[in-house]
């Protein structure tokens, strides 16, 4: 998917890339790898990738907001009463 909708750099200089398809890729050491931890949860465009120390926040056009801390993923969406499932800056 060449339609990039969000991009950010983490503290280890990896580049996180969000795609219109809802997929996420990571550019590390000149190699692009898929980030598959959220594959089953994301099928809408990635609007936000925010990285703060060890926490990565990913917002999508219709799947809610995700907080990733290590291998722990928390999802916030309309079912968790934060509003709708669309997250944008």
């Amino acid at each position: 998917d060449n339609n990039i909708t969000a991009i950010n750099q983490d503290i280890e200089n990896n580049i996180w890339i969000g795609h219109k398809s809802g997929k996420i890729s990571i550019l590390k050491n000149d190699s692009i790898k898929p980030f598959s931890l959220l594959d089953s949860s994301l099928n809408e465009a990635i609007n936000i990738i925010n990285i703060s120390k060890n926490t990565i926040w990913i917002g999508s056009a219709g799947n809610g907001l995700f907080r990733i801390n290590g291998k722990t993923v928390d999802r916030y969406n309309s079912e968790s009463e934060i509003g709708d499932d669309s997250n944008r800056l």
Side-chain angles (χ1 to χ4, degrees), residues 64-66 75-87:
L65 180 66
F66 296 84
R75 182 177 184 183
Y76 304 94
N77 58 18
S78 58
E79 293 176 11
S80 49
E81 300 180 3
I82 66 156
D84 64 24
D85 292 339
S86 181
N87 297 281

Side-chain angles (χ1 to χ4, degrees), residues 41-60:
S41 301
L42 290 168
N43 58 12
E44 301 280 346
I46 304 299
N47 291 333
I48 304 166
I49 297 177
N50 188 328
I51 302 169
S52 174
K53 295 189 182 183
N54 294 329
T55 303
I56 299 166
W57 294 89
I58 296 174
S60 70

